[in-house]
Amino acid sequence: MSPSSDEIRERFLAFFEEKGHLRLRSASLLPSSHDPSALLTVAGMHPLKPYFLGQEQPPAARLTSCQKCFRTVDIERVGETNRHLTFFEMLGNFSIGDYFKREAIAFAWELSLTVFGFEPARIWVTVFEGDEELGLGPDEEAIEHWLEVGVDRERIVLCPRSENFWQAGRTGPCGPCSELYLDRGEHLGSEGDLPGGENERFLEYWNLVFMEHLQDPPNTLSPLPAKSIDTGLGLNRMAALLQGKASVFETDQFQPLIELGERLAGVRYGAEAGPDRSLRILADHARAMSFLIADGVVPSNEERGYVLRRVMRRAIVEGRRLQLDDGFLTAYAEVVRELMSGAYPELDEQWRSLQRWLSSEEQSFTRTLEQGLSQLRFHAEHAKEHGALTIRAEDAFRLHDTFGFPFELTKELLREEGLGVDEQGFEDLMEQQRSRARRAAGAPSAGKAGDAAQRAIELAGAAKATRFTGYEHERELTSISASATMEPEVGQGDMDGNGGAAKEGIDGNGGAAKEGMDGNGGAAREGARVLLKLEASPFYAAGGGQVSDTGVIECEGGGCRATVERVLRVGDDQVIEVSLLEGSLKPHAKVIARVDHAARHATECNHTATHLLHAALRSRLGGHVHQAGSYVGPDKLRFDFTHSTALTRRERAEVEDEVNDWIAANEEVRPITTTLEEAKRLGAMALFGEKYGEIVRMVEIGDGRYSRELCGGTHVRRTAEIGAFMILSETSSAANVRRIEALTGPRAVQELRRRSDLLLEAASLLAVRPERLTAHLAAQVQELRRLREAAEVGRAGGRGGEVDVEALLGSVEHVNGAGVLISAVEAADAKRLLAIVDEVKAHLREGVIVLGSASEGRVHLIASVSQELVGRGVKAGEVLKRAAALAGGGGGGRDTMAQAGGRHPEKLGEALGAARAEIVSILTAEEARL
Ligand code: SER
């Protein structure tokens, strides 16, 4: 019987384990925060990059893994072909400076024959033919090793760089590669076919990369610290080969998903091209979205969130095309879970989050689709009325860009109406958008900071890794192991003493180039920025959201002194950026390194409070809450988390109270070193996208039931040290991500005092007791409104029905930073009222306007809300709902603009009052600042 995908995975990993490789679990689809260069993990080697670059020590020199991968480049082709996928699993064996080409080739050959049972005569290989631009010749060595294992010379094919040179991005580790192909028989192609491209006869199944160069800048190679091996074998392709299927969609990991689609849609796979394509897209995208969400991605319009949203939307469109009933995304995800959770338990662990995001996106995008459809109908009618055969490219582009309405769908639906679209015009607009995006992506953003990071990486390699001692103490007698001067900051040139820019130089124990600017062995002058490496350092390097320590470094016997500006993390190592105050910092000098205790302690309070906040949010809001980013500094903490709605005032208070209860309970905070397995068993929270080794540091609070997190940061010893915790604000940070900023200890108390002073000041201005303040203000506001309305009516009447827009603008209130204009005006009918709203809007772009008029026995109401306020929860339709009901009618519209009418003109004032109450409550609930 042919092996299942699970069996293939197991056989591959077991084979390499037997050959002395350490089996690694798949890393997250979110690359570790050490690698901000890629949105998603694209290859098995991706999480291992720091090992290839020599930045981190691998747990073993021989590794093997089955890695979850995600590639978006071919997303449009998914469903069109037998093989293209977005999400897939990649099997690989890796050598970090251990074996090289000979063994990699011998292993691949042995496994192909003995484990996969391929006939030797059906295996062909391709080898790198060399490349002038890279200055490399043909890979003779690889040819020789293939001949050694017994491959005939005529089945070794030379291929160019485009096929047989692998690089992890534009720059980075790279090397020539050699690929294995299976000849599936002449009947699938023609005699002249050769491996090295896309044809049905030769199917590539394994890529062996001989990783020996670092490419930076593009086309310039330098040697990596060690010659290494990276191989990649696509599990789904191998399953198709071994299960004798023409397409990956017919293999065991996909068949049940295809069958689900057949059942839900009442169609048969293989009968018609259109539905087949939809079934394939749904199968691939269902896996893709399930795995992305299980790794902590939530749908949004940015970065990974956008990749997720895109696959979800494509799937929803296909579901609609097949007329599937609501809730089909969750039905698909259930099957993905059944098929894959054995190997990937995160699908079980995150099941509730999965259900939540899938159903909410399905519901909201279905609404978008409906809106898009009505827009499209409008454009189609307009075109027909004007006798045009196409709709305008701009309209199709806006549908795509603003409404997320797919262009393919636009074309298809127009075809049904006998219409077309200006495709060239649409393509041009797309191209303009792409080049805008490219410009934005290519813009140099790193500047000096990026430069420092690059220099820090070089310096880290120039001496032994620093021993971090900051968990134990804040003061260390140690010595400088390497240093490099930096360009002085602009404006510091005069402090430099030699009027010129400091020359870059690295000086380390490791014998790196000696180019010190002043020829004294790499020592730097006063005022200069210097990068330093210490043998032992008590300074925490920025990471895991926590800012780096500050402090001072002084020569043991005096004579030199520098302040620590920041501590850069380089893999497991660190480099310190200092600003020199006195003397010079020479390699080998004995120094005393001292952490700024006050800043460290304030940061520790904020860090432990962040863990408590995380725990309180999960306990109050649910397990779908995950950390989506954080800042922990001495000044405050900021915590981003996945949750789709604003917290109510009550939820916020409960979260705050819970954290303060835990603080008062004076719980012990214990960092524990344990295995990843054990930490997971204990339910420790891990950060999505973070890479963890087998041994991890887990921070546990109290008996650990409510807070256990994998964390490398520094913490207080007992929670009572935090003193107090207060939430400053709760806002939206991105779609489906909320942000809390909070203070602890003395800063929290200071902030509370500042707020109470403000309250006292306001009360004394109005000459009332503080507790009477709100009631007093409410009465004043009411009175003011009444007077304004009276004045308004008088003025409008006095000027023959002309509305004085300036006066209207004068009555704009400011509620929690938003401009709010609510007023009754004179207008003969709804059209006139709309014209007045438009006029006001031209002056008040950011805000909410609600105008009402009463004439001839009817009330007209119009609400207009700027996009920004819609984002804060104020929706025109909602605002008018209760108001219109009070005025004896109803209405509707979009989030940004709604109209309503009613039969009770005498209720106009009340209706406007209700609209105002609604707006104020949304704006103040969202961010209750005094
Ligand atoms: N990195 C190579 C690839 O992705 C081999 O693993 O093809």
Side-chain angles (χ1 to χ4, degrees):
M1 224 183 68
S2 51
S4 66
S5 297
D6 282 342
E7 282 162 353
I8 298 170
R9 188 192 301 114
E10 182 51 37
R11 287 180 195 177
F12 183 99
L13 296 173
F15 174 88
F16 281 105
E17 263 180 334
E18 234 170 65
K19 306 280 181 201
H21 292 64
L22 175 72
R23 187 193 289 224
L24 297 180
R25 65 178 63 240
S26 171
S28 166
L29 277 174
L30 280 61
S32 117
S33 50
H34 302 315
D35 184 6
S37 67
L39 279 185
L40 294 165
T41 300
V42 297
M45 63 75 69
H46 201 150
L48 314 179
K49 239 161 96 178
Y51 304 151
F52 290 117
L53 290 168
Q55 292 168 352
E56 278 179 40
Q57 198 55 27
R62 294 181 175 204
L63 304 169
T64 184
S65 70
C66 180
Q67 174 62 46
K68 296 181 279 189
C69 297
F70 201 107
R71 292 188 184 172
T72 48
V73 277
D74 288 323
I75 191 167
E76 309 281 351
R77 297 189 69 189
V78 172
E80 306 282 350
T81 72
N82 279 334
R83 282 187 284 279
H84 283 94
L85 298 173
T86 53
F87 169 81
F88 62 98
E89 291 168 87
M90 188 179 261
L91 291 157
N93 58 293
F94 309 93
S95 147
I96 320 284
D98 190 70
Y99 59 82
F100 201 44
K101 293 183 191 178
R102 165 175 280 135
E103 294 84 345
I105 285 174
F107 287 150
W109 187 249
E110 183 184 338
L111 189 125
S112 296
L113 269 44
T114 60
V115 178
F116 297 146
F118 294 153
E119 276 170 47
R122 286 177 60 206
I123 302 175
W124 290 59
V125 295
T126 59
V127 169
F128 179 53
E129 70 177 21
D131 183 79
E132 240 174 64
E133 207 173 6
L134 289 174
L136 296 176
D139 193 350
E140 300 292 353
E141 217 182 316
I143 298 176
E144 196 183 307
H145 297 318
W146 282 120
L147 292 171
E148 269 166 30
V149 296
V151 180
D152 290 341
R153 184 62 188 84
E154 60 269 26
R155 280 187 287 110
I156 303 174
V157 180
L158 287 171
C159 284
R161 176 179 179 182
S162 56
E163 293 288 333
N164 276 45
F165 193 85
W166 204 87
Q167 51 193 73
R170 259 164 53 80
T171 57
C174 59
C177 57
S178 189
E179 295 180 326
L180 289 91
Y181 283 75
L182 191 71
D183 180 0
R184 302 195 297 162
E186 245 176 59
H187 65 285
L188 286 170
S190 52
E191 209 185 326
D193 278 347
L194 277 180
E198 284 277 326
N199 62 53
E200 287 301 312
R201 176 173 166 189
F202 291 100
L203 193 66
E204 181 219 324
Y205 67 91
W206 204 344
N207 184 13
L208 316 181
V209 183
F210 309 127
M211 194 74 93
E212 54 179 320
H213 310 290
L214 175 70
Q215 187 173 189
D216 192 15
N219 297 327
T220 304
L221 304 181
S222 57
L224 279 179
K227 291 185 175 182
S228 296
I229 290 293
D230 149 36
T231 87
L233 178 144
L235 175 61
N236 307 102
R237 269 184 184 211
M238 184 49 73
L241 283 176
L242 295 180
Q243 294 169 12
K245 304 289 185 194
S247 130
V248 293
F249 295 99
E250 289 159 38
T251 61
D252 61 328
Q253 271 192 6
F254 284 87
Q255 196 53 38
L257 290 163
I258 296 285
E259 282 163 12
L260 172 73
E262 288 180 310
R263 251 195 333 277
L264 294 180
V267 297
R268 206 165 48 74
Y269 184 71
E272 261 186 273
D276 279 3
R277 175 178 173 275
S278 302
L279 292 173
R280 286 195 288 256
I281 292 177
L282 277 161
D284 171 79
H285 288 12
R287 286 159 42 98
M289 64 185 83
S290 302
F291 276 90
L292 283 174
I293 296 174
D295 271 354
V297 183
V298 295
S300 76
N301 285 337
E302 281 155 34
E303 305 197 327
R304 299 172 184 122
Y306 182 65
V307 174
L308 171 60
R309 177 159 274 175
R310 188 154 171 227
V311 290
M312 288 172 114
R313 292 187 162 186
R314 279 173 53 92
I316 294 166
V317 168
E318 298 309 323
R320 194 188 155 92
R321 224 192 270 283
L322 293 175
Q323 298 179 351
L324 305 189
D325 287 341
D326 290 352
F328 65 90
L329 282 190
T330 314
Y332 266 98
E334 260 163 26
V335 178
V336 174
R337 181 186 179 195
E338 271 162 35
L339 286 168
M340 311 280 290
S341 61
Y344 299 98
E346 58 269 34
L347 292 170
D348 278 335
E349 288 154 16
Q350 302 302 325
W351 178 241
R352 295 204 25 207
S353 294
L354 254 150
Q355 281 176 306
R356 183 189 172 93
W357 298 122
L358 293 181
S359 61
S360 67
E361 187 72 10
E362 187 183 318
Q363 280 165 19
S364 68
F365 187 59
T366 302
R367 273 199 302 277
T368 303
L369 269 180
E370 275 154 19
Q371 275 180 10
L373 282 174
S374 79
Q375 290 277 327
L376 187 61
R377 267 194 294 275
F378 171 79
H379 295 313
E381 271 162 30
H382 184 80
K384 280 185 186 161
E385 268 169 31
H386 290 78
L389 290 173
T390 57
I391 72 162
R392 295 178 339 140
E394 288 84 348
D395 294 331
F397 182 73
R398 197 149 39 79
L399 268 168
H400 154 87
D401 198 43
T402 317
F403 292 92
F405 197 79
F407 185 54
E408 287 308 314
L409 201 60
T410 300
K411 279 197 298 189
E412 197 180 303
L413 296 172
L414 286 175
R415 248 198 319 273
E416 287 166 16
E417 300 274 331
L419 290 171
V421 58
D422 171 7
E423 288 197 37
Q424 188 52 50
F426 180 86
E427 257 316 306
D428 292 347
L429 290 168
M430 285 294 285
E431 188 44 45
Q432 281 168 24
Q433 190 193 46
R434 278 195 285 266
S435 66
R436 276 197 301 275
R438 270 197 299 273
R439 271 202 303 279
S445 57
K448 259 195 193 319
D451 190 34
Q454 189 49 45
R455 306 275 319 280
I457 291 172
E458 287 161 25
L459 190 70
K464 244 178 63 190
T466 301
R467 203 160 32 85
F468 173 60
T469 58
Y471 292 138
E472 296 90 40
H473 30 251
E474 296 180 355
R475 186 176 177 283
E476 187 71 46
L477 176 60
T478 181
S479 57
I480 296 173
S481 53
S483 70
T485 54
M486 303 263 294
E487 294 266 353
E489 300 265 308
V490 178
Q492 281 194 339
D494 50 351
M495 293 168 71
D496 183 68
N498 63 2
K503 197 158 183 278
E504 296 180 1
I506 292 182
D507 184 13
N509 299 347
K514 265 197 174 186
E515 272 189 60
M517 66 171 205
D518 50 7
N520 69 356
R525 283 183 185 282
E526 285 164 36
R529 284 275 170 144
V530 181
L531 290 176
L532 275 189
K533 242 173 101 60
L534 296 180
E535 269 170 14
S537 159
F539 300 110
Y540 181 80
Q546 182 175 332
V547 300
S548 47
D549 278 330
T550 49
V552 290
I553 295 175
E554 305 172 288
C555 283
E556 192 190 7
C560 82
R561 197 175 146 78
T563 49
V564 173
E565 301 295 340
R566 53 184 188 148
V567 188
L568 299 139
R569 193 175 284 264
V570 183
D572 296 335
D573 201 1
Q574 62 161 247
V575 167
I576 304 170
E577 185 178 333
V578 299
S579 159
L580 197 55
L581 298 177
E582 182 192 335
S584 60
L585 295 166
K586 296 195 176 94
H588 311 299
K590 278 254 175 252
V591 290
I592 297 162
R594 239 178 321 113
V595 172
D596 176 338
H597 171 74
R600 160 75 84 91
H601 190 249
T603 306
E604 289 178 341
C605 289
N606 284 333
H607 204 153
T608 308
T610 305
H611 287 209
L612 294 175
L613 172 62
H614 193 181
L617 286 167
R618 284 173 66 84
S619 102
R620 183 66 192 79
L621 304 177
H624 63 278
V625 168
H626 285 290
Q627 175 164 349
S630 76
Y631 163 87
V632 178
D635 51 337
K636 66 176 177 190
L637 68 94
R638 189 173 64 224
F639 186 69
D640 289 354
F641 58 100
T642 51
H643 185 61
S644 48
T645 49
L647 265 62
T648 62
R649 224 182 258 205
R650 181 156 164 206
E651 284 169 335
R652 209 170 121 149
E654 284 173 358
V655 165
E656 208 171 50
D657 285 348
E658 178 132 55
V659 173
N660 278 306
D661 284 349
W662 285 328
I663 291 172
N666 198 17
E667 304 274 22
E668 195 183 340
V669 182
R670 276 182 309 274
I672 299 165
T673 305
T674 181
T675 61
L676 183 60
E677 214 56 56
E678 175 68 0
K680 286 210 157 159
R681 198 187 60 73
L682 290 168
M685 299 295 303
L687 256 189
F688 286 122
E690 202 52 73
K691 182 154 73 74
Y692 298 102
E694 283 309 306
I695 301 297
V696 293
R697 184 172 187 266
M698 176 177 81
V699 176
E700 180 176 277
I701 305 181
D703 64 7
R705 261 180 312 161
Y706 58 86
S707 178
R708 280 195 181 107
E709 294 197 24
L710 299 190
C711 174
T714 63
H715 287 266
V716 296
R717 280 127 298 268
R718 300 195 76 97
T719 55
E721 286 177 51
I722 302 169
F725 170 83
M726 74 159 298
I727 295 179
L728 263 181
S729 63
E730 194 268 331
T731 52
S732 154
S733 123
N736 296 324
V737 179
R738 308 291 307 170
R739 165 170 293 179
I740 282 184
E741 293 205 330
L743 300 176
T744 58
R747 280 179 193 262
V749 175
Q750 280 155 17
E751 176 61 16
L752 289 171
R753 188 183 313 119
R754 190 186 70 81
R755 292 178 175 206
S756 118
D757 285 351
L758 269 176
L759 185 70
L760 291 173
E761 218 172 290
S764 101
L765 260 177
L766 293 167
V768 291
R769 289 199 315 277
E771 54 274 28
R772 288 272 317 132
L773 189 63
T774 37
H776 182 82
L777 277 175
Q780 296 259 13
V781 168
Q782 192 77 13
E783 176 65 5
L784 195 61
R785 275 176 42 74
R786 203 186 56 70
L787 291 173
R788 272 196 187 131
E789 270 168 33
E792 206 60 59
V793 171
R795 204 175 7 240
R799 293 176 52 180
E802 279 301 312
V803 170
D804 183 347
V805 171
E806 232 170 77
L808 271 180
L809 288 167
S811 59
V812 171
E813 297 172 57
H814 291 278
V815 182
N816 215 356
V820 177
L821 171 61
I822 297 171
S823 183
V825 294
E826 284 227 332
D829 51 24
K831 212 167 138 206
R832 172 71 191 125
L833 190 62
L834 188 60
I836 300 171
V837 170
D838 281 343
E839 229 176 309
V840 173
K841 215 158 61 177
H843 295 89
L844 181 72
R845 286 188 179 282
E846 296 299 336
V848 39
I849 305 162
V850 182
L851 296 186
S853 67
S855 62
E856 292 166 13
R858 286 202 55 84
V859 171
H860 299 293
L861 291 163
I862 297 186
S864 160
V865 183
S866 66
Q867 199 61 48
E868 192 232 332
L869 288 188
V870 171
R872 287 174 59 182
V874 185
K875 309 219 164 115
E878 299 294 328
V879 165
L880 284 196
K881 217 185 249 164
R882 223 170 79 75
L886 279 171
R894 303 188 305 274
D895 288 347
T896 49
M897 173 68 95
Q899 300 203 28
R903 294 180 307 280
H904 305 307
E906 74 283 5
K907 294 280 175 64
L908 175 60
E910 215 176 312
L912 288 172
R916 182 175 182 281
E918 171 84 7
I919 294 164
V920 171
S921 104
I922 296 169
L923 290 173
T924 49
E926 184 217 16
E927 194 174 351
R929 284 176 192 271
L930 275 176

